[in-house]
Amino acid sequence: MNDTPNRWARNGMNGVTGMVMVVLRAISVALALFLLALSVPLFFLPIPLGLPLAVIGLLLLAMTSKRAHTYITNWLKRHPGVWDKVKHIFDRFHRDDRSG
């Protein structure tokens, strides 16, 4: 009866805060999957809208899902050329985090 809802909450958050985080995580995953599904048909249009939507969807999915983050990280390790082209974006975010 007095058990904490650890199966619903991450990082030790309990109660309402944990449930809000679960709902926000579910919404983020749903939005990421929607963007990925939308990017497939848009990828073949003359205006390149599919690729940016796919990147945004993958980043959002990697932020909310540990399994997706591990998969994307391992893929980037196997393809260092792709990582070399995008790592400057992440370096900029890390510099901003450290300075503030």
Side-chain angles (χ1 to χ4, degrees):
M1 185 88 148
N2 293 329
D3 294 338
T4 58
N6 286 333
R7 65 187 183 113
W8 291 103
R10 289 188 180 176
N11 300 329
M13 290 184 282
N14 298 322
V16 175
T17 305
M19 293 302 288
V20 168
M21 292 303 295
V22 169
V23 170
L24 288 176
R25 186 172 288 117
I27 291 171
S28 297
V29 169
L31 179 63
L33 293 176
F34 173 75
L35 289 176
L36 287 172
L38 186 64
S39 70
V40 172
L42 292 178
F43 185 74
F44 298 104
L45 291 177
I47 302 170
L49 296 175
L51 189 60
L53 283 179
V55 169
I56 292 169
L58 284 173
L59 288 174
L60 188 58
L61 193 61
M63 289 184 339
T64 56
S65 169
K66 185 178 264 191
R67 181 178 290 172
H69 182 269
T70 303
Y71 179 78
I72 292 168
T73 304
N74 289 339
W75 189 87
L76 286 172
K77 286 179 184 177
R78 287 191 309 269
H79 300 89
V82 175
W83 176 246
D84 289 338
K85 292 179 183 177
V86 297
K87 69 180 176 183
H88 68 279
I89 296 170
F90 297 102
D91 288 340
R92 186 177 327 145
F93 287 127
H94 288 297
R95 277 195 305 259
D96 292 342
D97 287 343
R98 287 181 283 200
S99 64

